[in-house]
Amino acid sequence: MSMDANLVSALNAQIRGEFAASYVYLGMSAYFESLDLKGFAGWMRAQSQEEWAHGMRIFDHLAARDAPISLAELSSPTTDYYDPKSAVAAALAQEQDTTRDVNQLYAQAISCGDYQAKGLLDWFVNEQTEEEDSLRTLLSQLTIAGDSGAALLILDRELSERDASDDEPMG
Ligand code: FEO
């Protein structure tokens, strides 16, 4: 079926949201590179790549349904945070905003009776639960680490073990 114009517009806005999130995570990766915390930097880089793939999921859905795709401008993300914990807190806040946006899109798809879009968004709803959980865990671990440089280095080493193969293909 052809898509509702308002839903198409909201999905295009979400493509921008995912790419903007990708760019923000890349800024966080640059921040952690500046501290030589390579595990955190790599973890944030992997997050950035995931967000890019999320945007492409929506892009591909619109393309498959012959719906118009529009690509908006992205603003420049910061590469400077007060400390590692504030960067991770900002990442969690970003994911909570994304969850709110995804939930709104989900309600909109249902109200349009667009169950193909709902199918796409089912994946996003589940993904947000995982994304928030992993960032909440990381934030708690940084709170426990407190001012301990040793604990921060242990955490950095653990994060460096995140492998691309841990993530779903195009996740
Ligand atoms: Fe696209 Fe981090 O959710």
Side-chain angles (χ1 to χ4, degrees), residues 18 25 47 51 54 95 98 128 131:
E18 301 291 342
Y25 275 123
Q47 286 292 117
E51 298 302 348
H54 295 175
E95 289 301 339
T98 301
Q128 283 314 118
E131 295 269 71

Side-chain angles (χ1 to χ4, degrees), residues 8 14-15 27 32 35 39 41 43-44 60 62 78 86 114 117 131 141 150 154 161 163 165:
V8 169
Q14 192 61 30
I15 293 178
F32 284 111
L35 300 181
W43 196 88
M44 291 296 178
D60 287 341
L62 293 174
T78 185
S86 65
D114 190 329
E131 295 269 71
Q141 289 171 335
I154 289 168
E161 284 160 15
D163 188 288
S165 62

Side-chain angles (χ1 to χ4, degrees), residues 5-128:
N6 289 330
L7 181 59
V8 169
S9 159
L11 286 168
N12 272 302
Q14 192 61 30
I15 293 178
R16 186 200 170 278
E18 301 291 342
F19 289 166
S22 173
Y23 216 19
V24 167
Y25 275 123
L26 195 57
M28 290 171 179
S29 183
Y31 165 68
F32 284 111
E33 288 285 356
S34 76
L35 300 181
D36 284 329
L37 287 170
K38 298 288 186 185
F40 278 91
W43 196 88
M44 291 296 178
R45 180 190 291 226
Q47 286 292 117
S48 176
Q49 288 166 340
E50 276 197 25
E51 298 302 348
W52 178 269
H54 295 175
M56 290 311 298
R57 276 180 184 261
I58 303 171
F59 181 106
D60 287 341
H61 184 86
L62 293 174
R65 298 182 66 192
D66 291 336
I69 295 168
S70 58
L71 298 174
E73 198 170 341
L74 300 178
S75 35
S76 175
T78 185
T79 56
D80 189 25
Y81 290 89
Y82 176 70
D83 61 9
K85 190 176 168 185
S86 65
V88 171
L92 175 59
Q94 172 171 264
E95 289 301 339
Q96 288 166 334
D97 287 347
T98 301
T99 301
R100 185 203 57 219
D101 294 342
V102 165
N103 287 348
Q104 278 173 3
L105 269 172
Y106 197 88
Q108 196 175 346
I110 289 172
S111 81
C112 294
D114 190 329
Y115 296 104
Q116 290 167 277
K118 177 193 164 294
L120 168 75
L121 292 164
D122 277 330
W123 183 89
F124 279 86
V125 168
N126 292 329
E127 174 72 5
Q128 283 314 118

